[in-house]
């Protein structure tokens, strides 16, 4: 039995021209691409929030 039957990484890699970036598991990692701001796993909340604040300050 798969614990996680659907992985967004697998689906993103199917889209031509898509770059999927990751960091080590359970590490803080957030990235901004235009208006899209996203973080990796639960440990990236603070890093993603900093990017949101920076984007809103522009």
């Amino acid at each position: 039995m798969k614990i996680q039957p659907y992985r967004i990484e697998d689906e993103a890699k199917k889209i031509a021209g898509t770059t999927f970036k990751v960091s080590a598991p359970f590490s803080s990692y957030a990235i901004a691409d235009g208006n899209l701001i996203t973080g990796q796993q639960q440990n990236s909340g603070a890093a993603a929030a900093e990017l949101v604040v920076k984007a809103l300050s522009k």
Side-chain angles (χ1 to χ4, degrees), residues 5-54:
Y6 178 83
R7 292 175 37 95
I8 190 70
E9 179 178 356
D10 296 336
E11 298 304 313
K13 287 179 178 179
K14 294 177 186 176
I15 302 169
T18 298
T19 302
F20 197 84
K21 296 183 178 186
V22 298
S23 185
F26 304 107
S27 64
S28 176
Y29 182 68
I31 191 166
D33 182 12
N35 290 329
L36 175 65
I37 299 171
T38 187
Q40 176 179 303
Q41 302 172 347
Q42 66 275 14
N43 298 326
S44 302
E50 288 178 19
L51 291 175
V52 170
V53 170
K54 182 189 261 188

